Amino acid sequence: MVEPNTVLKASNLDLHYPLADHRVVRAVSGVDLELRRGETLALVGESGCGKSSLSRALMRLERPTGGTVMLQGEDITRISGEALRQKRRQIQMIFQDPYTSLDPRMTARQIVREPLDNFGMEPNDRRDTRVLELLDRVGLSERFAARYPHELSGGQRQRLGIARALALRPTILIADEPVSALDVSVRAQVINLLADIQAEQELSILFISHDLGVVSHISERVAVMYLGRIVEIGRTEDLMAAPAHPYTRALLDAVPVAHPRDRRQRVPLSGDPPSPINLPQGCAFQARCPLMKPACRAETPKLHSAKDNHLVACIHAGEHLPG
């Protein structure tokens, strides 16, 4: 059952990659996630935790191994060909690296116009006007239209990528680490641009990042991912003020603060994450967790309610950390 306000919903979603030696990389396992109309949901976690794999499964750039993805009430894991292509008009992606996600042989005008031509959007004689409107909306004047990507700065390239993503008038944007490749001075500009566009067009945005400091300024809710699973999800202000999962607390400990009095008591994580090829029985975080007890090895914890609209997958949720 999909709530009327839900535009994208993953249920028990798996994305596994088989290896030549019959082992399997479990990039995404049992993910339940929903994106609501007009909201910005942040997906955070360390590099390699499965965030980008999840985004590719949600867009059906990869066929999920199991589970379902409901886009506007339709299961897109069951469709293919032209039906899937038409559905992709509703969900577009802003890629992490503006240096490699744009065709270097095309001008800015051609890059933004290409999806309009591919889908027959707008009358042909109006498409160039639509391109200039999109460029202007992301802060690129008409003089940028004839430039190639190598003639633009990193921030300008990412703005161009945003204009291209908006061309088909999607209802959902997946922003995959959209500011991590940019200079610090440019990040705020791009984040503010996305927030303005989201508010104007009631877009739903899945904002993927490894930086809780960044997502605290743009998202209404935050989902925390560890080794292919969602381990905590809740309203941004609640999760930032009182994280329930030890991994979330460790991520927050790593966020720089402006004043020494605001520093948290840091509990460093020990060891490295286990391999997604050979996950331990029970909680995948057990080897690094300061709260680990024998019960953590018994079974994989499921998301359960820690408080109103705040879910966590930990049997020790909210306990005080040692030290």
Side-chain angles (χ1 to χ4, degrees):
M1 179 78 178
V2 179
E3 295 295 329
N5 200 38
T6 298
V7 294
L8 184 68
K9 182 175 183 178
S11 300
N12 200 28
L13 192 66
D14 296 332
L15 182 59
H16 299 167
Y17 298 103
L19 302 177
D21 58 3
H22 304 294
R23 294 184 297 170
V24 174
V25 177
R26 293 173 174 82
V28 177
S29 295
V31 165
D32 293 322
L33 193 70
E34 67 176 47
L35 180 63
R36 299 165 186 166
R37 190 178 311 280
E39 81 162 340
T40 300
L41 169 65
L43 179 66
V44 303
E46 294 170 295
S47 296
C49 72
K51 303 186 299 296
S52 293
S53 293
L54 176 57
S55 71
R56 293 178 66 82
L58 292 174
M59 282 198 69
R60 271 299 312 275
L61 297 177
E62 301 268 6
R63 182 180 290 276
T65 310
T68 60
V69 177
M70 305 294 289
L71 175 61
Q72 302 280 37
E74 182 176 354
D75 184 1
I76 62 172
T77 60
R78 302 287 186 264
I79 62 176
S80 59
E82 183 61 19
L84 177 59
R85 177 176 176 270
Q86 291 299 326
K87 273 293 180 181
R88 285 208 183 106
R89 290 173 52 179
Q90 300 177 29
I91 179 169
Q92 293 291 300
M93 182 175 282
I94 303 167
F95 294 92
Q96 176 177 359
D97 189 354
Y99 298 91
T100 59
S101 61
L102 303 174
D103 190 331
R105 300 166 298 178
M106 299 174 71
T107 64
R109 185 194 308 274
Q110 292 169 326
I111 286 169
V112 178
R113 177 167 172 148
E114 184 180 35
L116 299 175
D117 292 335
N118 287 345
F119 282 91
M121 297 283 287
E122 306 284 347
N124 188 53
D125 60 357
R126 172 162 162 73
R127 288 176 194 167
D128 280 343
T129 301
R130 172 68 175 152
V131 168
L132 295 180
E133 291 172 353
L134 287 163
L135 291 176
D136 179 69
R137 180 60 197 87
V138 299
L140 297 176
S141 65
E142 184 175 349
R143 62 191 175 89
F144 288 95
R147 295 187 184 181
Y148 290 88
H150 74 271
E151 298 177 297
L152 305 176
S153 69
Q156 290 166 346
R157 290 177 189 173
Q158 196 59 292
R159 289 171 182 269
L160 178 58
I162 294 170
R164 177 180 61 183
L166 295 174
L168 296 178
R169 305 182 191 275
T171 56
I172 300 167
L173 285 181
I174 295 181
D176 187 2
E177 300 267 14
V179 297
S180 63
L182 303 179
D183 293 339
V184 174
S185 60
V186 181
R187 291 183 185 182
Q189 298 173 22
V190 174
I191 289 171
N192 290 337
L193 172 63
L194 285 172
D196 291 343
I197 292 171
Q198 189 268 347
E200 288 173 8
Q201 303 184 24
E202 203 181 10
L203 280 170
S204 302
I205 300 178
L206 180 63
F207 189 95
I208 300 171
S209 179
H210 63 275
D211 189 341
L212 276 167
V214 169
V215 304
S216 65
H217 298 292
I218 193 172
S219 63
E220 286 82 53
R221 292 189 300 138
V222 176
V224 182
M225 194 170 192
Y226 185 77
L227 278 177
R229 294 185 179 274
I230 303 297
V231 297
E232 186 167 2
I233 183 168
R235 292 184 300 182
T236 303
E237 59 269 28
D238 294 339
L239 189 141
M240 297 292 177
H245 197 284
Y247 177 62
T248 308
R249 282 181 268 180
L251 291 180
L252 278 170
D253 283 347
V255 177
V257 295
H259 195 282
R261 68 168 174 265
D262 297 325
R263 288 178 182 164
R264 293 174 177 264
Q265 177 186 354
R266 292 197 173 194
V267 180
L269 299 181
S270 60
D272 297 317
S275 168
I277 302 173
N278 186 27
L279 292 173
Q281 181 177 347
C283 177
F285 190 59
Q286 59 182 267
R288 307 174 73 193
C289 182
L291 298 175
M292 200 280 290
K293 295 180 175 64
C296 301
R297 299 192 181 100
E299 61 181 272
T300 302
K302 305 293 185 183
L303 283 171
H304 64 274
S305 179
K307 52 186 175 181
D308 290 344
N309 300 310
H310 194 143
L311 304 177
V312 62
C314 179
I315 63 174
H316 305 297
E319 289 185 18
H320 291 294
L321 294 173

Short mmCIF file of all heavy atoms in Angstrom, two decimals, residues 223-251:
data_model
loop_
_atom_site.label_atom_id
_atom_site.label_comp_id
_atom_site.label_asym_id
_atom_site.label_seq_id
_atom_site.Cartn_x
_atom_site.Cartn_y
_atom_site.Cartn_z
N ALA A 223 18.03 9.44 6.22
CA ALA A 223 18.17 7.99 6.33
C ALA A 223 19.66 7.67 6.35
O ALA A 223 20.42 8.16 5.51
CB ALA A 223 17.49 7.30 5.15
N VAL A 224 20.07 6.86 7.31
CA VAL A 224 21.48 6.49 7.48
C VAL A 224 21.68 5.06 6.99
O VAL A 224 20.96 4.15 7.40
CB VAL A 224 21.91 6.63 8.95
CG1 VAL A 224 23.39 6.29 9.11
CG2 VAL A 224 21.63 8.04 9.47
N MET A 225 22.68 4.88 6.12
CA MET A 225 22.92 3.57 5.51
C MET A 225 24.27 3.03 5.94
O MET A 225 25.27 3.76 6.02
CB MET A 225 22.87 3.72 3.98
CG MET A 225 22.76 2.41 3.23
SD MET A 225 22.42 2.73 1.46
CE MET A 225 21.99 1.06 0.94
N TYR A 226 24.30 1.73 6.24
CA TYR A 226 25.55 1.06 6.60
C TYR A 226 25.56 -0.31 5.95
O TYR A 226 24.67 -1.13 6.18
CB TYR A 226 25.70 0.93 8.11
CG TYR A 226 27.02 0.35 8.54
CD1 TYR A 226 28.18 1.12 8.52
CD2 TYR A 226 27.13 -0.98 8.94
CE1 TYR A 226 29.40 0.60 8.90
CE2 TYR A 226 28.35 -1.51 9.32
CZ TYR A 226 29.49 -0.72 9.30
OH TYR A 226 30.71 -1.25 9.67
N LEU A 227 26.55 -0.55 5.11
CA LEU A 227 26.73 -1.84 4.44
C LEU A 227 25.44 -2.37 3.82
O LEU A 227 25.03 -3.50 4.04
CB LEU A 227 27.32 -2.87 5.40
CG LEU A 227 28.84 -2.79 5.57
CD1 LEU A 227 29.32 -3.80 6.59
CD2 LEU A 227 29.55 -3.02 4.25
N GLY A 228 24.79 -1.50 3.04
CA GLY A 228 23.65 -1.93 2.25
C GLY A 228 22.31 -1.88 2.94
O GLY A 228 21.29 -2.19 2.32
N ARG A 229 22.28 -1.51 4.23
CA ARG A 229 21.02 -1.48 4.97
C ARG A 229 20.78 -0.10 5.57
O ARG A 229 21.72 0.61 5.91
CB ARG A 229 21.03 -2.52 6.11
CG ARG A 229 21.08 -3.95 5.63
CD ARG A 229 20.97 -4.93 6.79
NE ARG A 229 20.98 -6.30 6.33
CZ ARG A 229 19.91 -6.98 5.92
NH1 ARG A 229 18.70 -6.39 5.97
NH2 ARG A 229 19.99 -8.23 5.51
N ILE A 230 19.52 0.26 5.70
CA ILE A 230 19.14 1.48 6.42
C ILE A 230 19.15 1.14 7.90
O ILE A 230 18.43 0.24 8.35
CB ILE A 230 17.76 1.99 5.99
CG1 ILE A 230 17.70 2.25 4.48
CG2 ILE A 230 17.40 3.25 6.77
CD1 ILE A 230 18.65 3.32 4.01
N VAL A 231 19.96 1.87 8.68
CA VAL A 231 20.05 1.57 10.11
C VAL A 231 19.34 2.60 10.97
O VAL A 231 19.09 2.36 12.16
CB VAL A 231 21.53 1.45 10.56
CG1 VAL A 231 22.20 0.29 9.84
CG2 VAL A 231 22.30 2.74 10.32
N GLU A 232 19.00 3.76 10.39
CA GLU A 232 18.25 4.76 11.14
C GLU A 232 17.62 5.74 10.16
O GLU A 232 18.20 6.07 9.13
CB GLU A 232 19.15 5.53 12.11
CG GLU A 232 18.41 6.50 13.02
CD GLU A 232 19.24 7.02 14.18
OE1 GLU A 232 20.44 6.66 14.28
OE2 GLU A 232 18.69 7.78 15.01
N ILE A 233 16.41 6.18 10.48
CA ILE A 233 15.75 7.18 9.65
C ILE A 233 14.80 7.98 10.52
O ILE A 233 14.09 7.43 11.38
CB ILE A 233 14.99 6.52 8.47
CG1 ILE A 233 14.36 7.59 7.57
CG2 ILE A 233 13.95 5.53 8.95
CD1 ILE A 233 13.86 7.02 6.24
N GLY A 234 14.83 9.31 10.33
CA GLY A 234 13.96 10.16 11.12
C GLY A 234 14.04 11.59 10.66
O GLY A 234 14.78 11.93 9.73
N ARG A 235 13.28 12.46 11.31
CA ARG A 235 13.32 13.88 10.98
C ARG A 235 14.72 14.42 11.28
O ARG A 235 15.36 14.03 12.25
CB ARG A 235 12.27 14.64 11.78
CG ARG A 235 10.83 14.32 11.38
CD ARG A 235 9.83 15.16 12.13
NE ARG A 235 9.95 14.94 13.58
CZ ARG A 235 9.17 15.53 14.48
NH1 ARG A 235 8.22 16.37 14.08
NH2 ARG A 235 9.32 15.28 15.76
N THR A 236 15.16 15.33 10.44
CA THR A 236 16.54 15.80 10.53
C THR A 236 16.86 16.36 11.91
O THR A 236 17.88 16.01 12.51
CB THR A 236 16.80 16.87 9.45
OG1 THR A 236 16.52 16.32 8.17
CG2 THR A 236 18.24 17.34 9.49
N GLU A 237 15.99 17.21 12.43
CA GLU A 237 16.29 17.84 13.71
C GLU A 237 16.35 16.82 14.85
O GLU A 237 17.17 16.93 15.77
CB GLU A 237 15.26 18.94 14.04
CG GLU A 237 13.82 18.49 14.12
CD GLU A 237 13.07 18.58 12.80
OE1 GLU A 237 13.72 18.48 11.74
OE2 GLU A 237 11.84 18.77 12.83
N ASP A 238 15.49 15.78 14.78
CA ASP A 238 15.50 14.75 15.81
C ASP A 238 16.77 13.91 15.73
O ASP A 238 17.40 13.60 16.75
CB ASP A 238 14.27 13.84 15.67
CG ASP A 238 12.97 14.57 15.94
OD1 ASP A 238 13.01 15.62 16.60
OD2 ASP A 238 11.92 14.09 15.48
N LEU A 239 17.12 13.53 14.51
CA LEU A 239 18.29 12.67 14.33
C LEU A 239 19.58 13.41 14.70
O LEU A 239 20.49 12.83 15.30
CB LEU A 239 18.34 12.17 12.89
CG LEU A 239 19.38 11.10 12.57
CD1 LEU A 239 18.79 10.07 11.61
CD2 LEU A 239 20.62 11.71 11.94
N MET A 240 19.65 14.70 14.38
CA MET A 240 20.84 15.46 14.72
C MET A 240 20.95 15.69 16.23
O MET A 240 22.04 15.68 16.80
CB MET A 240 20.81 16.82 14.01
CG MET A 240 20.86 16.73 12.49
SD MET A 240 22.45 16.11 11.92
CE MET A 240 22.15 16.05 10.14
N ALA A 241 19.81 15.91 16.88
CA ALA A 241 19.83 16.21 18.31
C ALA A 241 20.00 14.96 19.16
O ALA A 241 20.67 15.00 20.21
CB ALA A 241 18.53 16.92 18.70
N ALA A 242 19.41 13.83 18.72
CA ALA A 242 19.45 12.62 19.53
C ALA A 242 19.54 11.39 18.65
O ALA A 242 18.57 10.63 18.50
CB ALA A 242 18.20 12.55 20.42
N PRO A 243 20.71 11.16 18.03
CA PRO A 243 20.87 9.96 17.19
C PRO A 243 20.74 8.71 18.03
O PRO A 243 21.28 8.63 19.14
CB PRO A 243 22.29 10.13 16.62
CG PRO A 243 23.00 11.00 17.61
CD PRO A 243 21.96 11.94 18.13
N ALA A 244 20.02 7.71 17.51
CA ALA A 244 19.75 6.51 18.29
C ALA A 244 20.70 5.37 17.98
O ALA A 244 20.90 4.49 18.82
CB ALA A 244 18.30 6.06 18.04
N HIS A 245 21.28 5.35 16.79
CA HIS A 245 22.17 4.25 16.40
C HIS A 245 23.62 4.65 16.66
O HIS A 245 24.01 5.79 16.37
CB HIS A 245 21.98 3.91 14.92
CG HIS A 245 22.53 2.58 14.53
ND1 HIS A 245 23.88 2.35 14.36
CD2 HIS A 245 21.91 1.39 14.28
CE1 HIS A 245 24.07 1.09 14.01
NE2 HIS A 245 22.89 0.49 13.95
N PRO A 246 24.45 3.76 17.19
CA PRO A 246 25.86 4.10 17.44
C PRO A 246 26.61 4.57 16.20
O PRO A 246 27.50 5.42 16.29
CB PRO A 246 26.45 2.80 17.99
CG PRO A 246 25.29 2.05 18.53
CD PRO A 246 24.11 2.41 17.68
N TYR A 247 26.26 4.03 15.04
CA TYR A 247 26.92 4.44 13.80
C TYR A 247 26.56 5.88 13.46
O TYR A 247 27.43 6.68 13.07
CB TYR A 247 26.52 3.51 12.66
CG TYR A 247 27.09 3.90 11.32
CD1 TYR A 247 28.47 3.94 11.11
CD2 TYR A 247 26.25 4.25 10.26
CE1 TYR A 247 29.00 4.30 9.88
CE2 TYR A 247 26.77 4.61 9.03
CZ TYR A 247 28.14 4.63 8.85
OH TYR A 247 28.66 5.00 7.64
N THR A 248 25.29 6.24 13.62
CA THR A 248 24.88 7.63 13.37
C THR A 248 25.61 8.58 14.30
O THR A 248 26.07 9.65 13.90
CB THR A 248 23.36 7.79 13.55
OG1 THR A 248 22.68 6.81 12.77
CG2 THR A 248 22.90 9.17 13.12
N ARG A 249 25.75 8.18 15.57
CA ARG A 249 26.47 9.02 16.53
C ARG A 249 27.93 9.19 16.12
O ARG A 249 28.51 10.27 16.27
CB ARG A 249 26.35 8.43 17.94
CG ARG A 249 24.99 8.72 18.57
CD ARG A 249 24.90 8.16 19.97
NE ARG A 249 24.35 6.81 19.95
CZ ARG A 249 24.16 6.07 21.05
NH1 ARG A 249 24.50 6.55 22.24
NH2 ARG A 249 23.63 4.88 20.96
N ALA A 250 28.52 8.13 15.58
CA ALA A 250 29.91 8.24 15.11
C ALA A 250 30.03 9.19 13.93
O ALA A 250 30.98 9.97 13.84
CB ALA A 250 30.44 6.85 14.74
N LEU A 251 29.06 9.15 13.01
CA LEU A 251 29.06 10.09 11.88
C LEU A 251 28.94 11.53 12.36
O LEU A 251 29.62 12.43 11.87
CB LEU A 251 27.92 9.76 10.91
CG LEU A 251 28.01 8.47 10.11
CD1 LEU A 251 26.78 8.32 9.21
CD2 LEU A 251 29.28 8.41 9.27
#
